């Protein structure tokens, strides 16, 4: 089956400074129409089969270190149809109802536009000649298909000098005649003559390894077993954008997810699965299907974000109705404008485009083309940074709403036993996380500027100085690690400055080298606790993609527990630990940076459908 998709791009003139020129440019924007971009929806593959090496790490004997052993390779294969179905499930993350869609199926053409759907008979075109192979071969076959089909002949009409000089009525008659000659009806030909680009997607070879780790966990006091399955396989997807120059298609640009060169790209929760029983080659395809289902969505979101770095694929609109820090743009859900969607603002000064700042959309206007024009709404936005005037030009900023964060901090929490200060516990840490604007990811106005941060911590703590209280000659810090999450509401103040007010929770484990009195044998002391952390952050937006912030919070520990082990065996009869260990809450401070990532990572699974689906439901 050959599926062709038609999409649009917006291309607008820059605005001059005078009011007259601005108004003229505004009319140009308003008259801008949806234009077709032909795209092959069939996924190009290097191979259909897979051969993955497997390592299994069973539960170790009590007190022993866990070891891993090689297992028999997992082998199997997928069909082209199976990959196409997985790929098509979330294709709307790249090609949404924001675009006109044309599907060629056998001898019929199916067209879906903003205002309706139609179908028409056409002559059956040749099958797409690619089955599997290299990326280069796939691209060559794509160009061969595009340039030898009747599509290319219709596209070439748009550059015919006679056609460009015709009136609208003459163009319609001309297209009907030429389209009929080539077996393509007028409705299809009319869309195709406006085409400029063709899309095709390719996924590489399925190879790599699998690691299966058996571990125990407790549920309501009962010990249970689970298997954590981690896939290490190439995950890059490539989008070929081919451009029609009036005579033929040729490569315009190649967009790659480039995961291998990105820390966040390599960290993908899509690659980690959990099973109640040990997975085998027999159910390997089922696990891989789940991996690819998540991974394709994550890749399509990343490709969509990277594609919008090209000016031809950005949405552009003039600013309207400025009132203080509030403004409007004549775009909305029909163009997939999300809540908290950032737009950069530029102005034409003496022929040069000057960047003025950026704003974020707070209300995505309902502006479906099926609605009467007088009922369509503008999107309402608030200024984050900069000063703007009516008719300054707003350019869609490529964004996922997801940031990688890194910070360094100090936590002043200390430990005590039987109300006696142990004079230790304060630690310095590095925190690495991934945070998302839930308003954008879920397209929810109720969650506008609500940020969820998932993080891990590691660091080193102070030694305990009051060691005799715990019956030791020396208690030396051997490291702290933990993780948690934070949720915060952001208040944007002025000039890019913001404050976050939020609440965090997490879990920490402190490790110490414990040497008992009158002994030289080192023991392993472990103290762990859960905690709550109300906090405030103050930050600065350098751009929609880079933030700097400082945080002050208060750690409130609870559920404090400890264990003392010697050579893996727990020491249970030490009188010094009869009263347990307490953690005394205190302040924590940190300073860090946040960097936008085109990979939605763990948040890809909750990424909402494109806003233009609302308009599709009105048909």
């Amino acid at each position: 089956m050959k599926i062709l998709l038609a999409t649009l791009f917006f291309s607008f003139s820059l605005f001059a400074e005078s009011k007259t020129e601005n108004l003229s440019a505004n009319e140009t924007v308003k008259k801008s129409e949806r234009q077709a971009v032909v795209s092959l929806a069939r996924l190009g593959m290097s191979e259909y089969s897979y051969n993955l090496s497997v390592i299994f790490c069973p539960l170790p004997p009590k007190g022993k270190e866990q070891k891993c052993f090689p297992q028999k390779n997992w082998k199997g294969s997928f069909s082209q149809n199976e990959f196409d179905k997985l790929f098509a499930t979330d294709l709307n993350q790249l090609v949404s109802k924001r675009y006109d869609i044309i599907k060629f199926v056998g001898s019929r053409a199916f067209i879906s536009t903003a205002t309706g759907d139609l179908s028409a008979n056409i002559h059956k075109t040749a099958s797409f000649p690619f089955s599997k192979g290299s990326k280069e071969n796939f691209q060559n076959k794509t160009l061969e298909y595009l340039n030898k089909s009747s599509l290319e002949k219709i596209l070439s009409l748009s550059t015919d000098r006679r056609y460009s000089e015709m009136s609208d009525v003459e163009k319609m008659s001309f297209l009907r005649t030429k389209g009929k000659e080539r077996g393509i009806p007028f409705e299809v030909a009319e869309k195709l003559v406006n085409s400029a680009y063709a899309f095709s997607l390719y996924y590489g070879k399925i190879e790599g390894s699998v690691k299966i780790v058996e571990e125990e966990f407790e549920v309501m006091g009962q010990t249970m077993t689970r298997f954590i399955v981690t896939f290490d396989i190439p995950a890059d997807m490539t989008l070929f954008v081919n451009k029609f120059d009036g005579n033929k298609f040729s490569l315009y640009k190649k967009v790659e997810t480039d995961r291998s060169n990105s820390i966040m790209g390599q960290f993908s929760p899509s690659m980690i699965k959990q099973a109640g029983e040990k997975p085998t080659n027999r159910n390997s395809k089922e696990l891989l299907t789940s991996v690819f289902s998540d991974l394709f969505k994550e890749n399509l979101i990343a490709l969509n974000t990277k594609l919008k770095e090209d000016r031809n694929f950005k949405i552009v609109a003039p600013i309207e109705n400025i009132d203080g820090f509030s403004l409007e743009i004549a775009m909305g859900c029909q163009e997939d404008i999300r809540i908290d969607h950032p737009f950069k603002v530029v102005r034409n000064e003496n022929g040069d485009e000057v960047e003025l700042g950026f704003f974020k959309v707070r209300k995505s206007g309902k502006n479906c083309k099926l609605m009467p024009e007088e009922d369509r709404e503008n999107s309402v936005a608030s200024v984050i940074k900069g000063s703007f005037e009516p008719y300054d030009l707003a350019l869609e900023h490529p964004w996922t709403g997801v940031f990688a964060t890194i910070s360094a901090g100090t936590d002043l929490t200390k430990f005590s036993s039987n109300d006696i200060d142990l004079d230790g516990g304060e630690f310095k840490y590095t925190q690495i996380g991934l945070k998302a604007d839930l308003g954008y990811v879920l397209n929810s106005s109720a969650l506008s500027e609500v940020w969820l941060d998932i993080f891990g911590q590691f660091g080193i703590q102070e030694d305990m100085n009051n060691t005799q209280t715990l019956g030791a000659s020396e208690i030396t810090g051997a490291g702290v690690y933990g993780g948690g999450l934070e949720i915060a509401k952001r208040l944007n103040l002025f000039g890019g400055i913001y404050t976050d007010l939020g609440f965090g929770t997490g879990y920490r484990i402190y490790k110490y080298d414990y040497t008992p009195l009158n002994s030289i044998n080192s023991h392993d002391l472990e103290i762990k606790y859960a905690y709550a952390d109300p906090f405030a952050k103050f930050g600065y937006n350098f751009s929609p993609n880079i933030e700097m912030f400082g945080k002050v919070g208060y750690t409130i520990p609870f559920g404090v527990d400890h264990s003392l082990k010697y050579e893996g065996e727990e020491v249970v009869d030490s009188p010094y630990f009869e009263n347990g260990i307490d953690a005394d809450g205190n302040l924590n401070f940190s300073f860090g940076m946040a960097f936008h990532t085109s990979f939605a990572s763990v948040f890809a699974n909750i990424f909402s459908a494109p806003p233009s689906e609302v308009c599709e439901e009105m048909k």
Side-chain angles (χ1 to χ4, degrees), residues 55-61 64-71 211-214:
I55 294 176
F56 176 53
C57 309
L59 279 173
K64 300 296 182 180
E65 185 178 338
Q66 190 171 34
K67 295 182 179 180
C68 302
F69 307 93
Q71 305 282 292
K211 185 176 182 179
I212 306 170
V213 178
E214 184 180 12

Side-chain angles (χ1 to χ4, degrees), residues 102 111 118 120-122 154 163 168-180 183-193:
I102 302 176
I111 305 174
L118 59 92
N121 284 316
I122 60 171
I154 288 292
Y163 179 80
D168 289 342
V169 174
E170 289 173 325
K171 285 180 180 179
M172 290 175 65
S173 177
F174 183 70
L175 285 178
R176 289 185 190 279
T177 302
K178 293 296 183 181
K180 187 175 181 180
I184 296 181
F186 166 73
E187 294 88 347
V188 180
E190 185 182 31
K191 291 292 179 187
L192 290 175
V193 294

Side-chain angles (χ1 to χ4, degrees), residues 530-543:
Y531 66 92
D533 179 25
F535 65 85
K537 290 182 182 179
F538 297 90
Y540 178 74
N541 290 288
F542 290 98
S543 72

Side-chain angles (χ1 to χ4, degrees), residues 135-144 200 240 242 251:
K135 188 186 300 184
E136 293 74 18
N137 188 33
F138 173 72
Q139 166 64 357
N140 290 337
K141 292 293 185 181
T142 300
L143 290 176
E144 178 184 321
S200 57
F240 290 100
N242 296 298
L251 181 64

Side-chain angles (χ1 to χ4, degrees), residues 8 10 12 29 34 96-99 114 308 314-318 320 327-341 343 359-371 375-381 394 396 440 443 609-616 618:
L8 89 165
F10 292 86
F12 301 118
V29 172
R34 296 157 68 94
S96 70
K97 295 303 187 294
R98 153 184 180 168
Y99 309 122
K308 291 177 183 177
K314 293 178 185 287
I315 289 176
V316 184
E320 302 178 14
L327 57 88
E328 295 182 10
I329 54 172
M331 294 290 171
C333 62
Q334 184 71 74
E335 293 79 29
D336 285 336
I337 303 302
R338 290 177 173 267
I339 301 299
D340 293 343
H341 205 132
F343 278 72
F359 63 79
K360 286 186 177 180
V361 172
R362 300 309 183 200
K363 177 188 175 185
S364 181
K366 192 169 183 180
N367 67 333
C368 302
K369 300 295 184 183
L370 278 171
M371 299 169 61
D375 293 339
R376 298 175 194 170
E377 302 171 343
N378 286 348
S379 289
V380 180
E396 180 183 19
Y440 184 88
N443 193 36
S612 57
E613 292 291 331
V614 172
C615 299
E616 184 69 9
M618 296 179 64

Side-chain angles (χ1 to χ4, degrees), residues 9 17 32 45 47 57 63 94 106 136 169 180 195 212 227 239 252 296 341 370 391 393 417 450 485 513 598 604:
F9 70 91
E17 288 188 81
S32 178
M45 293 295 301
E47 290 284 348
C57 309
L94 178 64
E136 293 74 18
V169 174
K180 187 175 181 180
S195 300
I212 306 170
F227 298 86
L239 168 65
Y252 170 69
F296 284 175
H341 205 132
L370 278 171
Y391 308 111
L393 202 60
S417 179
V450 173
L485 58 85
D513 292 328
S598 58

Side-chain angles (χ1 to χ4, degrees), residues 427 430 432 455-459 480-484 506-509 531:
F427 81 103
T430 297
I432 298 174
F455 63 85
Q457 288 180 338
F458 59 92
V480 181
Y481 63 92
Y507 195 78
R508 288 183 185 143
I509 299 174
Y531 66 92

Side-chain angles (χ1 to χ4, degrees), residues 5-11 34-39 102 143 146-147 151 154-156 158-159 190-199 240-253 312-313:
L5 303 175
T7 67
L8 89 165
F9 70 91
F10 292 86
S11 179
R34 296 157 68 94
Q35 299 188 39
V37 176
V38 177
S39 174
I102 302 176
L143 290 176
L146 292 169
N147 289 325
L151 303 179
I154 288 292
L155 284 164
S156 64
S158 63
T159 60
E190 185 182 31
K191 291 292 179 187
L192 290 175
V193 294
N194 292 318
S195 300
Y197 300 97
F199 290 171
F240 290 100
V241 182
N242 296 298
K243 186 175 183 179
F244 186 71
D245 62 7
N247 295 308
K248 64 177 182 178
F249 281 99
S250 59
L251 181 64
Y252 170 69
K253 72 185 307 177
N312 286 332
F313 297 97

